[in-house]
Amino acid sequence: MSAAEQFDLLADLLRADPDLDVDRRDSSLVVGERAFAHLDGTALVVLLPESRAVDLIDRDIAKPAAGDAPDGAHWVSIDDTSDWNELANEAHTFARGRLPGRES
């Protein structure tokens, strides 16, 4: 299965979430107005908390990825498709928690 097909499958799974809060805009997955994952060539790029991103990079599971990220967050790139589902779900949960009005 190609990376694009794998991403399409992942997007379908996340959009089937019972909360129905995931949308696909072009090549990005978003929750509310916040992007949390996109395909970059053959790698999945996700937005994660800084500590989790550093951990994944230190263990050679992910590489730093370019992109504007809010304070306390980093974009990382994951090549191994077997990690995509878990890390996209983490990114989704992280993005949901960072939405305005969710802190109270």
Side-chain angles (χ1 to χ4, degrees):
M1 181 179 302
S2 73
E5 292 168 328
Q6 188 75 22
F7 184 76
D8 289 342
L9 179 61
L10 176 64
D12 289 344
L13 288 171
L14 286 167
R15 289 180 15 214
D17 178 82
D19 292 331
L20 300 175
D21 63 352
V22 175
D23 194 15
R24 186 170 182 173
R25 296 198 186 125
D26 298 318
S27 62
S28 294
L29 298 176
V30 298
V31 57
E33 294 298 316
R34 178 162 293 133
F36 67 90
H38 66 272
L39 188 63
D40 183 12
T42 60
L44 178 69
V45 178
V46 295
L47 182 66
L48 294 171
E50 179 178 9
S51 60
R52 179 66 166 145
V54 168
D55 172 60
L56 293 170
I57 292 166
D58 287 348
R59 293 189 295 134
D60 291 325
I61 294 170
K63 295 177 253 179
D68 292 331
D71 289 340
H74 288 286
W75 289 101
V76 294
S77 173
I78 302 100
D79 292 322
D80 188 346
T81 58
S82 67
D83 293 325
W84 285 14
N85 191 39
E86 175 187 354
L87 296 174
N89 276 294
E90 283 186 39
H92 171 235
T93 299
F94 178 62
R96 283 183 73 196
R98 297 180 58 85
L99 290 172
R102 301 243 182 200
E103 285 80 31
S104 56

